[in-house]
Amino acid sequence: MRLQEFSLERIQSLYENTVDHNLSDSGVHPYTMRELLNEKQINQLLDVELGYGWTNGEPKLRQSVANLYKDRSSDEVIITNGSAEANIIMVISMLQAGDELIVIVPNYLQIWGFAKAVGVVVKELPLREDMGWQPDLGALAAMVTERTKMITICHPNNPTGSTLPRKSMDALVQFARDHDLWLHADEVYKGSELDGNEGPSFADLYEKSMVTSGLSKALALPGLRIGWLVGPEPEIYKTWQSKDYISITASAVSEYVADIVVQPAKRDEILARSRRILNENVSILSNWLNNNANLFSCILPKAGGMAFVRYTMDINSSELVHKLREHRSIMLLPGDVYGMDQFIRLGIGAPTSHIEEGLKHLSDYVRQNF
């Protein structure tokens, strides 16, 4: 197995903690433990035994996660160390060398890269900017062969913040069903829809779905490193066998906190905070785009912690990002880590003052130098 560099993660890990204005993050500003828990819960946390837990996830937490979906049992859920581990054990367990995987792009690209490394043939179905970052589902039929095993989508999308209308979700499900394909959905941004209307999970729409989710993005708790997979019991059991080789268990402390977070009332409270932050910052971004329309444009996100911004300047996106980092201490994510130059991914989940200051530096630098 030969993994190519995960460019998106590499550039962030090198520089995101070295700048004054990190606008590269794709989540919502995180909680502190004191903000998240009440005094009773904090005291109970101090009594959590720091031993090995259940390797597939603490049973109460698995059931609490299962309750987020329709008619699911705890045996149809596995708890993982972040949604990243969920994606990896899904690929290891369900795809083999020579299988074909259709990836709807742009995408987070972890599955895209890991699947290639284990010999899976990856095909790409693009989201189209001229369609409002929607896929042309009519193009899927020509991509499917007898070796096609799965379609994977990030929904809501990273990096565009787009969401599929319900009729498109249903059409994608029907296509997968008609061709007997697995449908995987990364749903870590589910619940961050800016209009407050949380869409359905693909886990509730299709019997051959595998869904990744977790606490890192919409729920603003990446430091807990808790993710999960939801799917049919036999496939979840296979992923458990893979997890035994990778991490054994998740953190007992994180699992305790996670079970508080996924209870309906607490989850609603956290998501309301996320949507408030995102809506405030999208409004600021929209005004900034109007004031800099000759330089930047964007189909504003419908969900998630980022916007995918097109720029007009004649410069490679990685080069632009490095110049901004060096001269203005701003960190953005270049579009070419997605294979899409002339774009930058701009995080909108930070505190409002941080967004305002970062955008000011961005436009000032561009106007002075281009």
Side-chain angles (χ1 to χ4, degrees), residues 121-261:
V121 178
V122 174
K123 297 180 175 180
E124 299 180 359
L125 176 70
L127 299 177
R128 288 176 46 178
E129 187 181 14
D130 63 339
M131 295 172 59
W133 295 123
Q134 296 293 309
D136 178 4
L137 297 179
L140 274 173
M143 302 177 70
V144 174
T145 75
E146 61 183 13
R147 295 192 302 167
T148 307
K149 184 76 173 289
M150 178 183 287
I151 302 169
T152 182
I153 184 172
C154 182
H155 187 257
N157 180 252
N158 175 353
T160 67
S162 65
T163 59
L164 296 180
R166 177 57 190 270
K167 64 179 182 180
S168 295
M169 294 181 72
D170 290 341
L172 182 58
V173 164
Q174 191 59 53
F175 181 88
R177 184 178 287 123
D178 290 345
H179 291 80
D180 194 28
L181 302 177
W182 284 93
L183 177 58
H184 170 263
D186 181 338
E187 295 182 350
V188 292
Y189 292 101
K190 185 175 180 292
S192 66
E193 291 87 347
L194 300 182
D195 64 3
N197 296 315
E198 183 174 352
S201 170
F202 279 103
D204 297 333
L205 300 179
Y206 183 39
E207 60 277 6
K208 288 189 68 171
S209 64
M210 293 289 286
V211 164
T212 297
S213 193
L215 306 185
S216 60
K217 301 302 182 182
L219 289 165
L221 296 166
L224 288 178
R225 307 309 304 140
I226 291 291
W228 57 81
L229 273 171
V230 177
E233 184 178 344
E235 281 66 39
I236 292 298
Y237 186 81
K238 290 178 184 177
T239 66
W240 186 7
Q241 291 177 309
S242 298
K243 187 173 183 291
D244 287 338
Y245 279 94
I246 296 174
S247 67
I248 312 298
T249 69
S251 157
V253 170
S254 294
E255 286 191 322
Y256 166 82
V257 179
D259 193 52
I260 295 171
V261 168

Side-chain angles (χ1 to χ4, degrees), residues 36-46 256 260 266:
L36 185 67
L37 303 182
N38 61 39
E39 185 175 352
K40 179 181 178 181
Q41 291 165 338
I42 290 174
N43 287 331
Q44 290 173 337
L45 177 61
L46 297 177
Y256 166 82
I260 295 171
K266 190 66 174 180

Side-chain angles (χ1 to χ4, degrees), residues 12 21 25 51-52 61 63 104 114 122 137-138 146 154 159 173 217 219 258 280 290 315 343 347 357 361:
Q12 283 192 281
H21 307 286
D25 201 359
Y52 287 105
L61 174 58
Q63 186 58 56
I104 297 178
F114 196 81
V122 174
L137 297 179
E146 61 183 13
C154 182
V173 164
K217 301 302 182 182
L219 289 165
E280 289 176 359
N290 288 336
I315 182 174
F343 286 92
E357 189 70 15
H361 279 291

Side-chain angles (χ1 to χ4, degrees), residues 325-343:
R325 177 180 56 82
E326 293 165 358
H327 296 288
R328 291 299 181 103
S329 198
I330 308 168
M331 183 62 197
L332 299 160
L333 200 66
D336 57 8
V337 301
Y338 296 97
M340 298 180 70
D341 202 11
Q342 295 299 126
F343 286 92

Side-chain angles (χ1 to χ4, degrees), residues 245-348:
Y245 279 94
I246 296 174
S247 67
I248 312 298
T249 69
S251 157
V253 170
S254 294
E255 286 191 322
Y256 166 82
V257 179
D259 193 52
I260 295 171
V261 168
V262 298
Q263 300 308 315
K266 190 66 174 180
R267 181 177 182 272
D268 288 347
E269 173 192 319
I270 293 171
L271 291 176
R273 169 189 179 266
S274 292
R275 289 192 298 269
R276 174 181 56 77
I277 291 171
L278 294 173
N279 273 298
E280 289 176 359
N281 290 339
V282 166
S283 178
I284 290 167
L285 174 62
S286 180
N287 290 333
W288 179 86
L289 288 166
N290 288 336
N291 292 331
N292 295 278
N294 61 320
L295 299 170
F296 300 97
S297 62
C298 178
I299 298 172
L300 292 174
K302 296 181 183 296
M306 77 229 91
F308 206 43
V309 178
R310 179 183 282 278
Y311 60 86
T312 62
M313 299 81 70
D314 185 18
I315 182 174
N316 169 262
S317 57
S318 287
E319 185 179 352
L320 174 62
V321 163
H322 286 304
K323 285 182 179 295
L324 288 163
R325 177 180 56 82
E326 293 165 358
H327 296 288
R328 291 299 181 103
S329 198
I330 308 168
M331 183 62 197
L332 299 160
L333 200 66
D336 57 8
V337 301
Y338 296 97
M340 298 180 70
D341 202 11
Q342 295 299 126
F343 286 92
I344 50 175
R345 194 188 78 182
L346 195 153
I348 56 170

